[in-house]
Amino acid sequence: MPLARCTSGGGDGGAAAIWTPPFCTIVAADTSDFSYLSCPRCELALPDGAASCFACGGGGAQPAPSRVYRLLLSLATHDRVVPVVLFDRAARTLIGCPAADLARFFAAHPGSARAAAEALRGEMCRVVLRAPTRNRKGAGAADERLRAVSVVPLRDGFRPVVDTIRKMYQRG
């Protein structure tokens, strides 16, 4: 499916297509598997429980892996619904905290992941979408998703999702 109103990202021929719909509405969010461990040095995805990056090697002190976002959304535009993946920077705009903090909150409060997905549903935003940059064979359907380069919520008084769920799960 070609993207309407696409522009090439530059004159280098290898740049991914960029698409900016006038506005989008979040129709679904998958908060069950919203993050992964990443090497802060090379940004390689690491298996859960990894203590260090196998790709960066054993030389010198290695920074500890960090948890980063890979949030899957379904966005409705004026003419279609598209699956989109938001990585760390774009997801933090909507969520409002680091992925490790959200993972701890979800672990401490059963049902809060579902509440976060519900809080995102219906939110209108402007996004800049980019086609996948890597096409690895056997990478699966997730590799075919558009990537959100930036997200700007359109609602006046928008509060990040973490603020909403913290209010819902206040200790009283």
Side-chain angles (χ1 to χ4, degrees):
M1 161 177 74
L3 302 177
R5 290 176 295 211
C6 285
T7 59
S8 178
D12 61 345
I18 302 292
W19 180 39
T20 307
F23 62 87
C24 297
T25 303
I26 299 171
V27 293
D30 181 1
T31 54
S32 64
D33 187 21
F34 66 92
S35 66
Y36 64 99
L37 284 179
S38 173
C39 174
R41 185 178 296 156
C42 70
E43 298 182 347
L44 182 71
L46 303 173
D48 278 341
S52 63
C53 178
F54 59 88
C56 285
Q62 283 194 307
S66 60
R67 187 152 296 278
V68 294
Y69 286 105
R70 179 176 46 215
L71 182 62
L72 304 176
L73 300 178
S74 291
L75 296 179
T77 66
H78 67 286
D79 65 347
R80 66 184 88 166
V81 175
V82 293
V84 174
V85 62
L86 280 70
F87 287 102
D88 205 50
R89 189 176 304 132
R92 277 189 189 209
T93 302
L94 293 175
I95 303 297
C97 68
D101 292 353
L102 189 64
R104 282 191 293 274
F105 190 90
F106 285 175
H109 303 283
S112 59
R114 182 180 211 146
E118 289 294 320
L120 282 169
R121 192 168 23 164
E123 196 64 55
M124 292 184 66
C125 49
R126 175 178 285 281
V127 295
V128 175
L129 301 170
R130 178 177 45 86
T133 55
R134 288 184 271 181
N135 190 7
R136 298 184 309 242
K137 289 185 178 179
D143 197 48
E144 298 300 318
R145 295 179 196 274
L146 295 169
R147 271 86 165 138
V149 176
S150 70
V151 178
V152 177
L154 296 177
R155 182 169 45 102
D156 284 342
F158 169 80
R159 299 297 308 153
V161 169
V162 72
D163 292 350
T164 302
I165 61 174
R166 281 182 180 149
K167 283 182 184 177
M168 292 173 64
Y169 289 89
Q170 281 181 339
R171 301 208 187 261

